[in-house]
Amino acid sequence: MSQQLIFEDRYKKLGFETFSENNFQALKENKYKSEIKVFYVPEGYELTVDFSHFKIEKPSLFFLTNQHLQVEKGAEESSLLYYNRDFYCIQIHDKEVACDGLLFHNVFEIPFVVLDEKENAVIKSLFQSIKQELEWKDSSAEEMIRTYLKQMIIHATRMWKKQNLDNNTVKIPGHELEIFRDFSRYLEIHFREKHNVADYAGLLHIVPKTLTHKFRNLNLESPNQLIINRILLEAKRLLLYTDKPVKEIAYDLGYEDPAYFNRLFTGKTGNTPANFRKIMFREKSTIFSSFYLTIWNNICHTFVLSKQYNIK
């Protein structure tokens, strides 16, 4: 059964909501678009974040800002925390949690951590504690909730580093981590107007060649490719989720010459922006129809069962 709880005080807001098959559609609506989101997903779920599809084999925690989330399948109950920057700003409190550029806005576009048995118990307990504080509505609830939220983010940041920065493919030593984080954060802020490696090297106070060598030594994609990846991701979002003309999207992303943007997009994706939009709308329509057909079949099935077995 879905449940929604909200704390609001002037500009500050934090909400807690549970989801199951009956209300997944609510996640597709732009209801939570402007909030920071922490989404607990049990095993057995299938979901899409932007253009990446995930089959959840172990409980996982997703950290989302302006990504588009769609849940296609899931039996057990999932839980969503959503809050605004007035309640807790990860940039202002970066020294406390050090998660920006890792859990949020990382260049790998990996917005989740997988939970082992021990961490799963910890995270579920923190969700439960936040839920209880929201239900009790005590005068000290705001600070308690913020404390639990910080604990959750710190636990998840440690797991994210272990799972993504210290493995057989990528090893980023502690003394290099801040450059990786700062590049990720600057890229998220400036990708619309800064398209060259030299721009980011300047912000990091190193020369472009040094930045490129650092990423190569860490077995990462080149800074130039990561910049292009972020621009293309935003272009795809704008093509799919808005009706803006391609020329306007090019301007929004800092390209005064739409023809150049067209060539860049086509060269990297294999489709022109206009063709990409057509393909994605076709796929979206198919998924949408399938989703509602599944809901209708479930309703009919429940109706038949209720007549036979008197389910109420």
Side-chain angles (χ1 to χ4, degrees):
M1 183 178 178
S2 69
Q3 182 177 19
Q4 185 176 26
L5 299 164
I6 296 178
F7 165 87
E8 284 187 280
D9 180 23
R10 296 186 182 180
Y11 302 110
K12 293 175 282 189
K13 178 181 177 182
L14 177 139
F16 173 96
E17 192 162 352
T18 57
F19 292 91
S20 60
E21 289 178 304
N22 300 325
N23 63 335
F24 285 155
Q25 180 61 19
L27 286 165
K28 285 181 68 178
E29 299 162 3
N30 283 333
K31 180 176 170 183
Y32 315 99
K33 183 84 166 76
S34 60
E35 270 88 34
I36 299 164
K37 296 166 284 292
V38 183
F39 188 35
Y40 173 80
V41 186
E43 61 186 270
Y45 268 56
E46 289 188 29
L47 54 92
T48 300
V49 177
D50 280 332
F51 304 94
S52 300
H53 186 73
F54 301 93
K55 289 186 177 182
I56 310 301
E57 296 179 358
K58 290 184 178 180
S60 300
L61 208 54
F62 281 75
F63 294 84
L64 308 167
T65 50
N66 58 348
Q67 298 102 313
H68 290 264
L69 171 66
Q70 178 175 314
V71 178
E72 289 95 18
K73 178 183 174 184
E76 293 182 46
E77 197 171 73
S78 54
S79 300
L80 178 74
L81 277 178
Y82 57 95
Y83 58 95
N84 62 14
R85 284 166 174 78
D86 290 300
F87 185 86
Y88 192 74
C89 178
I90 55 175
Q91 285 84 16
I92 291 173
H93 297 279
D94 188 65
K95 286 187 178 178
E96 296 175 0
V97 291
C99 66
D100 198 21
L102 298 177
L103 294 181
F104 299 98
H105 309 135
N106 69 78
V107 293
F108 295 147
E109 294 172 28
I110 301 174
F112 69 96
V113 292
V114 179
L115 306 175
D116 60 25
E117 189 175 343
K118 181 181 175 183
E119 288 295 347
N120 187 43
V122 170
I123 295 300
K124 287 178 77 172
S125 174
L126 288 168
F127 265 92
Q128 184 61 27
S129 296
I130 291 172
K131 179 174 175 282
Q132 287 173 348
E133 290 292 335
L134 288 167
E135 289 171 335
W136 289 336
K137 298 181 179 178
D138 187 79
S139 59
S140 61
E142 178 184 347
E143 202 49 50
M144 286 294 286
I145 292 168
R146 196 175 284 112
T147 300
Y148 292 135
L149 177 62
K150 283 193 283 188
Q151 287 182 53
M152 190 182 295
I153 291 173
I154 290 168
H155 274 282
T157 301
R158 290 173 178 173
M159 285 186 282
W160 196 94
K161 286 193 284 190
K162 186 176 180 182
Q163 291 171 19
N164 299 292
L165 303 183
D166 187 15
N167 54 50
N168 293 333
T169 306
V170 176
K171 282 193 183 294
I172 299 184
H175 65 279
E176 298 283 16
L177 182 59
E178 285 310 302
I179 283 187
F180 169 81
R181 277 215 314 137
D182 286 344
F183 176 82
S184 294
R185 292 154 73 189
Y186 285 136
L187 179 58
E188 185 60 29
I189 295 167
H190 298 294
F191 71 87
R192 290 177 183 84
E193 72 272 3
K194 296 185 187 298
H195 298 167
N196 300 312
V197 175
D199 295 326
Y200 296 93
L203 292 169
L204 293 166
H205 307 293
I206 56 177
V207 299
K209 190 177 287 187
T210 301
L211 181 59
T212 300
H213 284 163
K214 279 182 180 294
F215 274 59
R216 184 184 301 148
N217 292 339
L218 295 170
N219 205 22
L220 300 173
E221 283 190 282
S222 71
N224 185 59
Q225 187 58 52
L226 292 170
I227 294 165
I228 291 171
N229 290 350
R230 184 62 188 90
I231 293 166
L232 292 177
L233 172 60
E234 198 66 22
K236 290 175 183 178
R237 286 176 180 166
L238 293 169
L239 287 165
L240 182 57
Y241 299 111
T242 75
D243 57 2
K244 289 183 176 184
V246 173
K247 183 183 289 188
E248 189 177 340
I249 290 172
Y251 291 144
D252 284 352
L253 294 173
Y255 292 96
E256 294 182 7
D257 180 2
Y260 178 83
F261 168 74
N262 232 308
R263 290 195 299 273
L264 173 71
F265 190 96
T266 304
K268 294 296 181 180
T269 67
N271 283 294
T272 64
N275 198 38
F276 174 85
R277 175 175 266 166
K278 286 179 187 174
I279 292 168
M280 293 308 295
F281 268 112
R282 274 202 304 268
E283 290 183 6
K284 193 177 177 184
S285 299
T286 303
I287 291 168
F288 191 72
S289 301
S290 174
F291 178 81
Y292 276 104
L293 181 61
T294 301
I295 289 178
W296 176 247
N297 287 339
N298 287 342
I299 291 169
C300 293
H301 182 62
T302 304
F303 177 70
V304 170
L305 287 177
S306 66
K307 287 182 71 176
Q308 291 179 348
Y309 301 105
N310 197 28
I311 295 174
K312 295 181 180 178

